[in-house]
Amino acid sequence: MNPFGHREHETLIEMSATTDGEEANGTLYEINSNADSELPGNSEIDKHHQSKDSVFFRDGIRRIDFVLSYIDEPVKEGDKKAERRKEFEINLEKSGLELETEDKKESENGKTYFVKIHAPWEVLSTYAEVLNIKVPIKENDIPPPMENPLHFVLKPFRLPENVMHPEPDYFTAPFSKQKQELFLIEDENSFFSPATRNRIVYYILSRCHYGTEEGKKKFGIKRLLNNATYTAAYPLHDCQYWKKARDEKCESERFTLYMQWARFAQFYKEQPLDLIRKYYGEKIGIYFAWLGFYTEMLFLAAIVGLICFLYGLITMDDSNSSKQICDPEIGGQIIMCPLCDKRCEFWRLNTTCEPSRYSHLFDNVATLFFAIFMGIWVTLFLEFWKRRQARLEYEWDLVDFEEEQQQLQLRPEYEAKCTKRKKNPVTQEIELVVKRSKVNLLSKLFLCWMSIVFWISLIIASMIAVIVYRLAVYAAFASIMENNQLEDNPISSLLTPQLATSVTASCLNFVIIMILNFLYERVAIWITDMEIPRTHLEYENRLTMKMFLFQFVNYYSSCFYVAFFKGKFAGFPADYTYMFNKWRNEECDPAGCLIELTTQLTIVMAGKQIWGNIQEAIVPWIWNWWGRRKARNNPENLYSRWEQDYDMQTFGGLGLFYEYLEMVIQFGFITLFVASFPLAPLLALLNNILEIRVDSWKLTTQFRRPVASKAHSIGVWQEILNGMAILSVVTNAFIVAFTSDMIPRLVYYYAYSEYEHSLMDGYISSSLSIFNVSDFKEKSMPNENPMNITLCRYRDYRYPPDHERKYMHTMQFWHVLAAKMAFIIIMEHVVFIVKFFVAWLIPDVPSEVKARVKREKYLTQKILHEYELYKLKEKLSGRQYCEDAEKQVIATEGKVQLSEAM
C-alpha cells in the first residue's frame, strides 16, 4: 500500500497481533489496571467527588475523547452483542486507547452503559503522523496585511479579537514522532485540539476488529451501530451551551460559539470562522465560510433586484399594454375565444386587467438588465469565492492538503469487502481490492442506472400528473369565473382562471416534491452503497451527483414547464392540441406566462425554505425536549455530560451534505429563473441570514458534536455551481425571449406600429388573431352563446378567416421568432464573453496569499533542514569524522544554502 496506508496497517495490525497482552501491551494493561484500581468502582461512584458535567475521566486528568453507549439485553441476541463489544473493546485497548465504563446504575434511565475513551499521547502522536496532521513549529513572523481603512465603519459588525482568532498563527509542518522536539509542545495533554483528538479516535474506531462472522472479519464502529451492538458513538461537547464549564481546564468553546455566533440576536455579526474550525473541524468551517460569503454576495444582487422591482412598480401605471387591456373601449370590446371546450363561454379581454398590470412588475425593460447583471454576478461570486477559499486554505494549513490524502483513507465498508490482492502500478505495493467479476460489475451498474432512470421517470410522471391536474381543473375554474357573473367581485379582478390554476397546481407540486425527496434520499444512498466506492471522497462525490440530479429534476421540472412549454403548443381554435387526446393544452394569459412562472417560483422557493427551517430547527428541538423530559426532573449534578449529549440528535456523516444541497438548490432558483422574479435574491438573502443562525444554533445546541474532518474546498459542489452558472445564462435568455412579451413588443414598436404619436398603441390588437366561431370543431364548440358571437380573438399571429391563407402564420410571427432567436444568440454571447473576461481578469489565488505560502514553505523547509543538520552533528559529535560523514554534513548544509537562495 501507499506509505500512509502501510503505516496505518502496521499500527492497527501489530498492536492487535499481541492478543495475550505481552511485550507491547503488557505495560499498558498494568497502567490501566493500576489506574482503575485507584479509582472508584463503576457501581460506587461518588457523584459529589467530581462534577458530572466534566469531560475528563474520574481521575480528572485524562480527557474523554469519545463515548460509546449500549443497553445490556438479557437475551440470546444480547449475548452475541456482548461478545462483540467485549472483543471490540479489548482490541481498542490493544491499539493503545484507554477505556472507562459507567455502569447502567449511574445512568439517568438505569439501562444505559457508557464507555468513555481516552487517547494517550503515544496513540495521538502515532496517528497524527499516519493522518499527516500539521502542527505548529514556530509562531508566524509574517506581518499581517494592512488594516482596511473602512475598519471603523464595520466595527459594529465585528467580533472580539479573541473570538475571531482564538489562537496565534503558526508556521506548521506534518507531525513526526522522530522530531517531537522540533514542535511547540508545551503540554502533551493540550497539544492536540479536542477536534483533532476525536478525529484520530474515530479513525481507530472505524477500523478496529470485533470478531469473525460467517468466515469474514468484521470491524468498524459503523457496523456495530447498524446492528445495535452500540446505541451511539460520539465525541463530547466541552460544556453546556448556556454557561461555562466549572472545570478551569475546559475551554468552554461551545459556550463562546453560542453567545457570539449561534444566537439569533447576532445575525448582523461576522462569523468566528477560526473558532468554528477549531471546534468542529475544517469541513464544517469551510461550509459556514462558503455560506457566509454567498450571503454577502447576495446582498448586492438583492439590492439590484429590488431596484428593478421598484422600477416595475413605479412604471406599472404607465404600461401601454395593460392600459389597452384595461380600457373599456379597447379590452372591453375584444371578445376572446373560450378557455376550454364545451363548458366555457366567450369572455372579454378586460377581465384580465389586474393580472396584466401586475405582470408589468416582472416583465419590463429592467428584466433584461437584471438577467444580464445576474449572469455577470454569478461569475463574480464564483471567482471571488475561489480567492476566499485560497485564503482559507493558507490560514487553515490546507495548502498542501490534496484529495490524494483523502484517497489514502479507505472506507471501512470497502476494506471489509477486500478479498483480492493487487499490485498498485503507481506505488508498486500490494493492496487489498474488492474482487469484482465483469458480469457482477455490469449487472450492478445496469441496476444502478436503471434505478436512476426509473426514479427520474417517476419525477417526470408526477410532473405530467400535475399538468393533467392543471388541464382538468382549468376548465372548471374557467366555467365558474365567467366575466358576466364576477365583474363586480373584487377578488375576480385579480384571480383569473389561469392564476387560480397556477396557485393550486404549484401547491400540489410542492407537496409532491417533498414526498419524492423523502424517497430519493434513500434510493440515492442505496445505489451509492451498491457501487462500493473506495474512499469517503468518492462516496460523497457519487452520492452528491445522484442526489443533485434527482433534486434538479424534482424541483425545477415544474418551472421549466411553465417557462418553456406552457402555451407554446396549445394550437389555435380550429385545431387545438390535446394531451392524451382528452385534455386541451393550456394557454398563456394574454399578458404572458411570466406572471405564472413568478407564482410557481415563489411558492416552491418560499415553501422549500419554510419547510427546511421547520425540519432543521423545530423538529430536532421537539425530539430533544422529548428525550430530556425525564432528565429535567433530576438534580443537575446527576445529569452527566455524556448523558446530556446522548439525549441529543445525531448530525450524521451526511448532515453537511444536505446543507450544501439545500443551498445549491436555492442557488438554482435565483440564477436559472431570476429573469422572471427579480425579488428572488432578496428572498434568498433573508433566508440565508436566518439559515446561518439556524444552522449554527442547531449544531451548537441541538446536535451531538460531529466528528471533526478535513476539507480544503467545497468539493464537487464547486463544479455543480459552475455548471448551473453557465446554464443560467441560457435559461434566462430563453425566458426573456419566449416567456416574456418584451421581444414581441419591440418588434411591433420598430416594425409594425401604425401610430406616430404613440408607437405602442394597437399592440394588443396586433398580437391577437381573429377566429370565425363557425369554424369550431364539434368538441370545441361552446354549449351556450347568449351574445351570438360570430368572431372571437386568440393569442397568436395568424391570418383572419377571410384571408386566402386562412389561419396560417403571418409574416409578423416569423419576424418575432427571428428576433427571439437573434436576441438569445446575442445575449448569450455578450454575457459569456463578459463572464470569461471577468474570470480571466480575477486570479484564483490572491498575490498576497501566494507570497505568504512561498514564505512559509521556505521558512518551514529551512527550519527542518537546520534541525536535520543539528541532529546529524549531534550524532557525530565525540566520534572521529570519516569522509562519508563529512560529505553528508556538507550535503545537508548545501540543502540549507539552496533553501535560502530560493
Side-chain angles (χ1 to χ4, degrees), residues 33 37 65 106 137 146 148 153 161 165 190 240 252 292 315 324 464 473 542 605 652 695:
S33 61
S37 65
D65 296 312
E106 305 304 325
I137 58 174
M146 294 181 61
N148 190 338
V153 178
E161 185 66 22
H165 304 287
S190 60
Q240 295 171 334
S252 296
T315 60
Q324 294 177 49
I464 293 174
V473 301
R542 293 186 187 185
M605 182 178 175
D695 286 348

Side-chain angles (χ1 to χ4, degrees), residues 77 81 153 157 191 210 264 334 401 630 672 772 795:
E77 181 65 23
K81 293 177 181 178
V153 178
F157 307 100
F191 180 67
Y210 62 83
F264 292 95
I334 296 177
F401 179 80
K630 293 181 180 178
L672 297 177
N772 192 326
R795 193 168 199 248

Side-chain angles (χ1 to χ4, degrees), residues 459 462-463 509-518 520 547-561 600-601 603-609 611-612 615 661-662 664-666 668-669 672-673 724:
I459 300 176
S462 65
M463 184 187 71
N509 182 67
F510 176 72
V511 172
I512 293 175
I513 287 173
M514 293 297 104
I515 295 173
L516 291 177
N517 276 347
F518 178 79
Y520 294 150
M547 279 293 291
F548 176 74
L549 184 61
F550 285 146
Q551 298 274 23
F552 184 91
V553 179
N554 195 22
Y555 275 107
Y556 303 142
S557 56
S558 57
C559 293
F560 273 103
Y561 164 73
Q600 177 81 26
L601 185 67
I603 291 176
V604 175
M605 182 178 175
K608 179 185 179 300
Q609 293 177 350
W611 178 250
Q615 280 186 312
L661 183 61
E662 179 186 4
V664 170
I665 293 297
Q666 181 204 83
F669 279 123
L672 297 177
F673 309 101
M724 294 180 73

Side-chain angles (χ1 to χ4, degrees), residues 825-840:
I825 294 172
I826 293 173
M827 178 179 171
E828 286 182 356
H829 280 71
V830 169
V831 175
F832 277 133
I833 290 173
V834 174
K835 281 171 63 69
F836 292 139
F837 176 73
V838 170
W840 171 80

Side-chain angles (χ1 to χ4, degrees), residues 63 65 124 133 135 167 188-200 251 253 277-282 705 708:
R63 189 183 189 95
D65 296 312
L124 293 173
I133 293 174
V135 292
E167 54 188 13
E188 291 183 352
N189 294 324
S190 60
F191 180 67
F192 293 106
S193 68
T196 302
R197 296 173 69 102
N198 73 57
R199 178 185 167 209
I200 290 174
E251 299 87 350
E253 291 174 349
R277 171 241 183 172
K278 182 183 177 186
Y279 191 75
Y280 291 114
E282 287 80 2
R705 185 174 183 173

Side-chain angles (χ1 to χ4, degrees), residues 520-538:
Y520 294 150
E521 174 186 331
R522 284 147 184 81
V523 172
I525 293 174
W526 173 70
I527 293 174
T528 308
D529 287 340
M530 283 183 59
E531 297 175 355
I532 320 177
R534 188 170 183 268
T535 66
H536 293 285
L537 183 66
E538 289 180 13

Side-chain angles (χ1 to χ4, degrees), residues 676-879:
S676 66
F677 191 32
L679 290 180
L682 179 60
L683 289 181
L685 173 65
L686 297 177
N687 174 79
N688 287 7
I689 292 174
L690 180 64
E691 181 74 20
I692 292 175
R693 303 306 158 179
V694 168
D695 286 348
S696 58
W697 175 81
K698 73 178 183 183
L699 200 61
T700 307
T701 68
Q702 303 301 311
F703 283 87
R704 296 171 187 161
R705 185 174 183 173
V707 179
S709 57
K710 276 186 173 289
H712 71 296
S713 67
I714 62 175
V716 72
W717 298 109
Q718 183 79 33
E719 302 304 320
I720 291 175
L721 292 174
N722 288 334
M724 294 180 73
I726 295 173
L727 181 60
S728 67
V729 178
V730 179
T731 55
N732 283 301
F734 272 85
I735 287 173
V736 173
F738 286 96
T739 308
S740 78
D741 262 8
M742 182 176 299
I743 302 302
R745 287 199 296 263
L746 290 175
V747 171
Y748 179 81
Y749 182 88
Y750 288 106
Y752 288 91
S753 178
E754 299 177 352
Y755 302 89
E756 294 182 0
H757 61 284
S758 181
L759 295 177
M760 288 305 296
D761 286 351
Y763 165 71
I764 292 298
S765 180
S766 171
S767 65
L768 299 174
S769 300
I770 302 173
F771 181 75
N772 192 326
V773 174
S774 61
D775 292 333
F776 268 125
K777 293 181 179 179
E778 179 62 27
K779 65 185 301 185
S780 302
M781 179 68 75
N783 293 330
E784 298 180 1
N785 187 3
M787 295 184 289
N788 294 321
I789 302 298
T790 57
L791 297 175
C792 64
R793 308 292 290 272
Y794 60 98
R795 193 168 199 248
D796 207 342
Y797 296 98
R798 294 181 182 271
Y799 289 108
D802 56 353
H803 196 276
E804 59 180 5
R805 303 183 65 186
K806 177 180 178 180
Y807 301 140
M808 295 183 68
H809 283 121
T810 63
M811 187 57 66
Q812 186 175 356
F813 168 84
W814 298 109
H815 287 164
V816 170
L817 181 61
K820 289 179 177 180
M821 300 306 297
F823 169 80
I824 291 172
I825 294 172
I826 293 173
M827 178 179 171
E828 286 182 356
H829 280 71
V830 169
V831 175
F832 277 133
I833 290 173
V834 174
K835 281 171 63 69
F836 292 139
F837 176 73
V838 170
W840 171 80
L841 193 63
I842 303 174
D844 292 347
V845 182
S847 57
E848 171 209 345
V849 173
K850 286 182 180 179
R852 285 172 169 263
V853 169
K854 291 179 180 179
R855 169 69 175 164
E856 180 168 345
K857 282 186 176 181
Y858 160 71
L859 289 177
T860 303
Q861 189 179 33
K862 180 180 178 182
I863 291 171
L864 291 174
H865 287 167
E866 288 177 348
Y867 173 79
E868 291 176 2
L869 181 61
Y870 168 77
K871 296 297 292 183
L872 182 59
K873 287 182 177 179
E874 187 180 62
K875 182 179 179 181
L876 296 176
S877 63
R879 301 181 184 179

